[in-house]
Amino acid sequence: METMFSLKTFLAFVVSVSTICQANVKVYRQPGDLIIGGLVPIHFFNDTIRKCGETRDLGALRRVEGIAYAVSKINNDSGILDGITLGYEIYDTCSSTSETLKNALNFIPSLRERDDVIGVVGPQRSSSSLQATTLLGIYNISLISFLSTSDELSNSNRYPYFLRTVPPDKFQVSVITDMLIEYDWKYVAFLYSDDTYGKTAEAEFSMQADANDICIGYTRSIVAGATDYGDVMKDLLSLKKKSLVSVVIIFTQFEQAAGIFEAAGEADVAGDFIWIGSDGWGNYGLQPVGDNHESVLGAFTIVPQAGTHPLFNQYFEEIQRNSTNPWLPEYYARCNCEFVDERPEPPYESIVIDSVEVFARGLDNMITHECGQDVNKTQCLNFLLKNRRLLRDYLLEVTFTSESNGQVSFTTDGDSKGRYVIRNLGLMGDGTEFRFENVGTWSESEDESIQPLDIGHIDWYVTNTTDPSTYTDRAIPKSVCSDPCKPLEVMRVDLLSSCCWSCEVCADDEIIVDDRCVSCFHRENQTYNWPNEELTQCQPLDFVQLIDKVENALLLVIAILGIIVELVIAFLYVKNREKRLIKASSRELGYIILVGIFLTYLSAVLYCSPPNHVVCVLRRILPSIGSSFIYVSLLTMTVRLYRIFSAGKKTRKRPSFISPKSQVILTMTISLAPLIWGIVWIIIDPPAVNVIEPTSTRQYIELMCEVSTEHRVGQLCWDVFIVLQCCYFAIKTRNLPANYNQTRFIAFSVFSTLIVYIAFAPAFFTSQESTQQDLYSALGNIIQPSVVLVLIFAVRIYAIYRVKEEDQKIITTRPSMKRSEESDSGGRGSSNQPHSPVRTISTHVLSNGSSKSFNDLCTQTIEAEFDSDRIYKYTNGSSKAILSSSASIELEVEEDGYEVHENERNGENGAKDENHNNSAPLSAYV
């Protein structure tokens, strides 16, 4: 009690001071037995000069007159407050908390000349109502607001004397939430005023948004008198670039909304946003929009339901010239005409009228129950004024049907039932008039089966153009952070916002389980399945190898047939190893080539076989060894021939290292290189069997021998190097006589091999499937040995069995004798003069399986001697041989050179030359 007494004493001092300062304060007053106070914003507040500024629109004046009309109506109604008249005192709050509090001091009983204030209607703003009800509640004076909607005022413990004839903001937030759900807007921005009205709404909206999976992408509080609206607009535009946000909720007072729209107009955001406004600025119609209609076109406002009072408009027109309203001259001065509602807004004067009627009905009920008929008027009035606390209880129990707004009643917290009108700013008439039109309603209902939201057709104006003529009926715009994922896609939700996500396609081996990608592969036990088309379950897969494919399995058959044919030819080759045709073909190197052919065919079989550790090891070694045995041997043959014929041009000395033993050792030594290379890489990169997992285009499992690229490239480079060397020396020996056309077969073999490398190497390295790589490897390891087997060995075996023995002689002669006599006159020489017999020899040579004439013999001269008086001179250009007497010779190809044998001498008559019947062998190295 001491605290209350001190507070009242302090307030008395404040009022005494403010009374002096408010000597010229305007008040709209009418006397009566009981006074109903009024706190209505008539002017805006100028934050710069901290005083009341320009007048509001005509709606403010109508609310003031609404109090006067309601009091007059009640006083003229004998059925209510019979014998007691009501009066009023109305003050201008200037939309300011400080002005509201200052004017509320005028209603404190102890500071008035007469204690006659029974209650107060107003203020309009929630922040002002908080201050006013806190002050007046000390004196148990009830306050009924007609537009204060803050949820904070629903706390009846803190504000027991506050009531309102409009619903609290929690219902207004529910309207906004239901609209977002109706249009599937999941991602929005929320701007709110930095006061009780905005903060409580922001808290309520956050709870309702979370409950309905709606995300707030951007939120910002705006203080009174803010100047950073340009920054707000930059933030909104930045958010729109990063998402598909279109909806911006503005839960602010008039001034903040006007600042936002001014910035929107400057940023030229016409068609970019859908604005949803609360009644804090929606109550003022087009006034906060200003001249920014294009940028705000399509905006929604949520305002309390307020119907038009059937008789008020007539009353308002009648009192315009005769009213004692002190603010009336200001409107005349501004308008200089009859009152025209140039900025239409909801008729909130009907709610003001309902608020006054609540006081009247509560007082009437209290008088009826508390005063009775035996108490005189003076005693009853004194009782009413002394028991304002009791009046509050009677006010909460008031229920009646308003002439404009239907049923009026209160909850225990002093709140009214939620009823709203949804308004939409659109183009009217010829497309040049902007106006808010009612497009829907929202009504609180205890029956959950009844949908509270009822909204009709909407014209959407979200577009990138600012030309009103292009606005047409469009689909509902989106306001989401991310578009919904397509079928068979999975959402990866952003950790910072559940409404933002990225859509990802599951990997080829994954199915979708609970919006997650789950692999069908179990690599730990090498179990591989594959998703079905719907990605709902895994289906088993089988391992597939080269041999499993019908067309590729033929390679295995061909490779095995190649091995069989090679073994048969090798058997026949060894069997006939003493035949002159075999001996003349470097048979020891032939053995090595046959081994290489076998290994190469075997490599083809390995490439057609399922990979395992042993197969992978052999795949690394056998192909390169087999290839080396073949082509190093062929290289050795061609180099040997090249060296022999090159040496014959310079010297009669036998070249070194051309014996069979030397050639075999050289070949085997060189062939060790790929073996060493393979062993080194086996140590560096041990062979392993890898599983090639399925893909969308290859829905089967493959096993692959893991081989490093370095190993393959090194092996390929070696093979290509040897083959190129063979090609080089094949070209160098291309002019050898037909007797030595084995070089031509070698050339054809190596050139064919080079073509195989050129054809298959690119396909091998660019192939993405291991079976295809095995296919190319197997095919290459079949073609290479087959060419060599046919050209180097098959023709010899054919010649041995299909060519007559006499046609296999290396050189066969059919001599015819011609004598050339030298004389001074150019005639034949005397028989007494020794002459060198000259014979034209028709020669047939079988070299490496071919027969050619002597004319094809080498270009260089071959000289051979039996003794000092006999010279055999063969010249390709003359096709002549200079012999002693007549003789036949045989040039036999041996491993260590070419032996020239003198056969028995034959004259033209067939007689034997007895002087030369003892022939001696001679070796001439070509």
Side-chain angles (χ1 to χ4, degrees):
M1 291 297 294
E2 292 181 358
T3 303
M4 183 65 68
F5 177 77
S6 300
L7 180 57
K8 289 182 178 181
T9 303
F10 171 75
L11 290 174
F13 171 76
V14 172
V15 171
S16 62
V17 174
S18 66
T19 301
I20 300 173
C21 299
Q22 297 187 66
N24 296 322
V25 172
K26 292 180 181 180
V27 57
Y28 188 15
R29 180 184 289 118
Q30 177 176 314
D33 297 327
L34 296 175
I35 298 298
I36 294 179
L39 296 172
V40 181
I42 307 298
H43 296 83
F44 289 107
F45 189 76
N46 191 321
D47 290 308
T48 304
I49 63 176
R50 305 302 299 173
K51 291 182 180 181
C52 294
E54 64 178 5
T55 56
R56 289 181 176 272
D57 59 11
L58 194 58
L61 190 62
R62 293 172 67 93
R63 289 167 205 141
V64 171
E65 291 296 341
I67 297 176
Y69 169 80
V71 170
S72 175
K73 177 176 175 292
I74 292 168
N75 288 336
N76 293 327
D77 187 353
S78 59
I80 185 172
L81 293 178
D82 187 24
I84 298 177
T85 59
L86 295 178
Y88 53 82
E89 284 186 17
I90 304 173
Y91 293 91
D92 180 13
T93 63
C94 294
S95 306
S96 168
T97 301
S98 59
E99 289 295 320
T100 300
L101 185 60
K102 182 172 62 175
N103 287 317
L105 294 173
N106 294 302
F107 303 126
I108 295 176
S110 60
L111 303 179
R112 293 177 62 86
E113 296 180 0
R114 177 172 171 262
D115 183 8
D116 53 2
V117 177
I118 197 65
V120 177
V121 174
Q124 180 169 317
R125 290 192 171 183
S126 297
S127 56
S128 299
S129 292
L130 284 170
Q131 300 296 329
T133 192
T134 300
L135 173 62
L136 298 177
I138 298 174
Y139 301 95
N140 302 329
I141 297 177
S142 296
L143 185 148
I144 301 178
S145 175
F146 53 89
L147 278 179
S148 294
T149 58
S150 173
D151 290 330
E152 187 176 355
L153 292 167
S154 296
N155 189 339
S156 58
N157 294 323
R158 295 185 61 182
Y159 312 107
Y161 294 95
F162 177 80
L163 295 85
R164 50 189 165 192
T165 49
V166 290
D169 284 338
K170 64 180 180 181
F171 294 119
Q172 188 172 186
V173 170
S174 296
V175 178
I176 296 175
T177 302
D178 286 348
M179 287 184 63
L180 300 181
I181 296 172
E182 175 72 15
Y183 296 120
D184 199 26
W185 292 331
K186 294 293 186 180
Y187 198 63
V188 299
F190 194 89
L191 308 177
Y192 62 97
S193 56
D194 189 27
D195 55 15
T196 300
Y197 174 76
K199 290 178 180 178
T200 55
E202 190 274 334
E204 178 66 23
F205 181 75
S206 295
M207 290 190 296
Q208 293 194 25
D210 289 341
N212 292 279
D213 297 326
I214 298 172
C215 297
I216 305 174
Y218 175 75
T219 181
R220 180 163 179 166
S221 64
I222 303 176
V223 300
T227 58
D228 57 349
Y229 296 109
D231 295 337
V232 174
M233 196 53 53
K234 288 180 181 179
D235 292 343
L236 291 176
L237 291 173
S238 176
L239 178 65
K240 189 172 183 64
K241 290 181 179 179
K242 296 185 293 185
S243 64
L244 299 175
V245 65
S246 296
V247 175
V248 180
I249 300 169
I250 304 178
F251 221 103
T252 66
Q253 303 293 353
F254 171 91
E255 294 82 3
Q256 289 98 328
I260 293 171
F261 294 144
E262 185 67 27
E266 293 176 357
D268 191 19
V269 296
D272 286 338
F273 297 107
I274 299 173
W275 312 94
I276 298 181
S278 65
D279 62 353
W281 62 272
N283 291 332
Y284 299 96
L286 286 170
Q287 193 169 359
V289 175
D291 297 326
N292 307 293
H293 302 94
E294 286 81 7
S295 296
V296 190
L297 186 62
F300 292 92
T301 57
I302 315 300
V303 297
Q305 184 173 336
T308 301
H309 196 281
L311 300 177
F312 177 77
N313 287 337
Q314 181 180 353
Y315 163 83
F316 190 67
E317 292 176 2
E318 292 176 353
I319 60 92
Q320 287 180 11
R321 296 292 183 180
N322 303 319
S323 174
T324 59
N325 188 327
W327 299 288
L328 196 59
E330 293 184 46
Y331 280 90
Y332 276 118
R334 189 184 72 174
C335 184
N336 194 26
C337 61
E338 296 293 328
F339 291 153
V340 178
D341 196 355
E342 73 281 4
R343 294 181 183 272
E345 60 183 55
Y348 291 126
E349 63 274 3
S350 64
I351 301 179
V352 173
I353 294 170
D354 290 342
S355 300
V356 175
E357 190 167 348
V358 169
F359 274 115
R361 289 181 179 275
L363 284 170
D364 188 66
N365 291 337
M366 184 177 177
I367 291 172
T368 301
H369 291 88
E370 302 297 337
C371 294
Q373 296 180 354
D374 298 333
V375 179
N376 60 40
K377 176 180 177 180
T378 303
Q379 291 176 332
C380 185
L381 290 176
N382 292 332
F383 175 80
L384 293 175
L385 295 171
K386 290 180 180 180
N387 291 277
R388 292 188 179 93
R389 181 191 297 269
L390 185 60
L391 175 62
R392 183 253 186 189
D393 297 333
Y394 279 98
L395 293 177
L396 290 175
E397 295 175 358
V398 169
T399 300
F400 68 97
T401 300
S402 168
E403 297 180 59
S404 308
N405 304 311
Q407 185 179 12
V408 177
S409 61
F410 299 95
T411 66
T412 56
D413 294 326
D415 293 332
S416 292
K417 182 180 179 180
R419 293 177 299 185
Y420 292 92
V421 173
I422 302 171
R423 314 185 80 204
N424 178 241
L425 179 61
L427 284 169
M428 304 300 165
D430 59 356
T432 59
E433 180 185 357
F434 296 88
R435 188 168 63 193
F436 276 105
E437 291 288 330
N438 295 346
V439 293
T441 60
W442 190 94
S443 299
E444 179 189 4
S445 175
E446 296 180 358
D447 188 352
E448 295 183 356
S449 63
I450 300 177
Q451 293 295 328
L453 180 65
D454 181 15
I455 192 166
H457 173 76
I458 304 296
D459 289 329
W460 304 103
Y461 300 99
V462 175
T463 178
N464 290 327
T465 180
T466 59
D467 182 4
S469 63
T470 64
Y471 295 141
T472 58
D473 190 13
R474 297 180 177 86
I476 299 173
K478 295 180 180 180
S479 188
V480 296
C481 183
S482 304
D483 276 327
C485 292
K486 298 177 182 178
L488 306 183
E489 290 183 341
V490 175
M491 287 194 307
R492 301 296 185 189
V493 180
D494 194 318
L495 297 177
L496 300 178
S497 175
S498 61
C499 293
C500 299
W501 58 78
S502 59
C503 296
E504 297 182 5
V505 179
C506 290
D508 293 339
D509 63 297
E510 294 178 330
I511 61 175
I512 300 176
V513 179
D514 297 331
D515 209 26
R516 294 181 297 108
C517 293
V518 179
S519 177
C520 290
F521 294 173
H522 301 284
R523 295 177 175 85
E524 61 278 1
N525 56 6
Q526 291 192 342
T527 301
Y528 297 91
N529 297 323
W530 193 255
N532 59 2
E533 292 183 359
E534 296 78 18
L535 303 187
T536 56
Q537 61 181 358
C538 298
Q539 299 174 340
L541 290 177
D542 296 326
F543 284 91
V544 175
Q545 298 303 318
L546 183 61
I547 194 174
D548 295 328
K549 298 182 178 181
V550 176
E551 65 276 14
N552 297 333
L554 294 175
L555 292 176
L556 180 61
V557 176
I558 296 173
I560 294 174
L561 289 177
I563 292 176
I564 295 173
V565 172
E566 191 270 348
L567 291 176
V568 172
I569 291 178
F571 171 76
L572 296 176
Y573 189 84
V574 173
K575 179 181 178 181
N576 296 279
R577 62 185 179 277
E578 296 300 329
K579 293 292 181 70
R580 181 176 300 174
L581 193 58
I582 300 297
K583 292 172 65 178
S585 62
S586 300
R587 65 186 175 193
E588 285 77 9
L589 293 180
Y591 297 153
I592 298 176
I593 294 174
L594 287 172
V595 173
I597 292 174
F598 175 80
L599 295 179
T600 307
Y601 276 128
L602 185 59
S603 299
V605 174
L606 292 175
Y607 281 114
C608 295
S609 303
N612 55 48
H613 184 74
V614 175
V615 169
C616 291
V617 172
L618 294 178
R619 282 188 184 182
R620 290 198 183 187
I621 297 177
L622 288 188
S624 58
I625 293 179
S627 179
S628 291
F629 279 177
I630 294 173
Y631 296 107
V632 172
S633 298
L634 293 177
L635 176 62
T636 304
M637 286 183 180
T638 54
V639 171
R640 179 173 179 250
L641 290 174
Y642 176 75
R643 292 178 62 224
I644 290 173
F645 279 89
S646 296
K649 295 178 181 180
K650 304 174 183 178
T651 179
R652 298 179 182 179
K653 184 180 179 180
R654 172 178 175 172
S656 59
F657 302 112
I658 62 172
S659 66
K661 182 178 180 181
S662 300
Q663 298 296 296
V664 170
I665 294 175
L666 180 63
T667 300
M668 296 304 295
T669 301
I670 297 175
S671 297
L672 286 176
L675 177 62
I676 296 173
W677 178 260
I679 293 174
V680 168
W681 274 102
I682 288 176
I683 296 173
I684 296 175
D685 183 22
V689 179
N690 285 347
V691 176
I692 305 300
E693 299 176 348
T695 64
S696 58
T697 57
R698 192 188 68 248
Q699 297 181 13
Y700 51 85
I701 308 167
E702 295 179 301
L703 294 178
M704 180 187 73
C705 289
E706 182 179 4
V707 181
S708 66
T709 304
E710 293 81 357
H711 180 205
R712 279 181 171 146
V713 172
Q715 178 179 314
L716 180 64
C717 290
W718 170 258
D719 292 342
V720 172
F721 173 75
I722 295 299
V723 171
L724 289 176
Q725 294 299 312
C726 288
C727 293
Y728 173 76
F729 284 102
I731 293 173
K732 296 289 287 185
T733 58
R734 68 186 183 280
N735 291 323
L736 290 183
N739 308 58
Y740 311 106
N741 57 11
Q742 176 169 319
T743 59
R744 293 174 174 81
F745 289 115
I746 294 175
F748 188 82
S749 298
V750 295
F751 280 120
S752 298
T753 301
L754 190 61
I755 293 173
V756 170
Y757 281 129
I758 295 174
F760 287 98
F764 176 88
F765 285 104
T766 57
S767 176
Q768 300 299 319
E769 298 184 17
S770 65
T771 53
Q772 291 297 317
Q773 292 181 337
D774 292 345
L775 168 66
Y776 296 133
S777 299
L779 193 57
N781 281 281
I782 290 174
I783 295 175
Q784 294 180 41
S786 298
V787 172
V788 176
L789 188 64
V790 171
L791 296 179
I792 305 300
F793 296 98
V795 293
R796 294 181 184 279
I797 301 300
Y798 174 81
I800 289 173
Y801 287 96
R802 302 295 297 175
V803 179
K804 294 180 180 181
E805 181 71 23
E806 57 271 18
D807 293 332
Q808 295 180 20
K809 288 183 178 182
I810 303 304
I811 298 179
T812 305
T813 62
R814 297 286 188 271
S816 60
M817 184 73 151
K818 291 185 179 179
R819 295 186 179 272
S820 175
E821 297 178 357
E822 298 180 5
S823 61
D824 295 336
S825 61
R828 296 181 180 272
S830 172
S831 57
N832 297 326
Q833 184 179 351
H835 293 86
S836 298
V838 178
R839 176 187 299 170
T840 299
I841 303 174
S842 176
T843 306
H844 296 276
V845 179
L846 181 63
S847 176
N848 290 338
S850 300
S851 296
K852 298 292 181 179
S853 68
F854 188 79
N855 291 336
D856 292 331
L857 203 57
C858 53
T859 57
Q860 69 272 19
T861 299
I862 302 174
E863 294 184 357
E865 294 186 22
F866 283 98
D867 49 39
S868 58
D869 64 333
R870 287 178 298 169
I871 297 177
Y872 298 85
K873 186 173 183 180
Y874 306 107
T875 305
N876 185 43
S878 61
S879 297
K880 295 180 180 180
I882 300 176
L883 304 173
S884 59
S885 302
S886 63
S888 67
I889 64 171
E890 183 180 277
L891 179 62
E892 181 178 354
V893 181
E894 296 290 354
E895 291 82 353
D896 58 349
Y898 294 85
E899 291 187 358
V900 180
H901 301 279
E902 181 181 17
N903 296 330
E904 65 177 337
R905 172 178 62 168
N906 293 308
E908 290 183 346
N909 55 5
K912 294 183 178 180
D913 188 349
E914 296 179 356
N915 296 328
H916 303 285
N917 58 0
N918 54 344
S919 62
L922 175 68
S923 297
Y925 295 92
V926 183

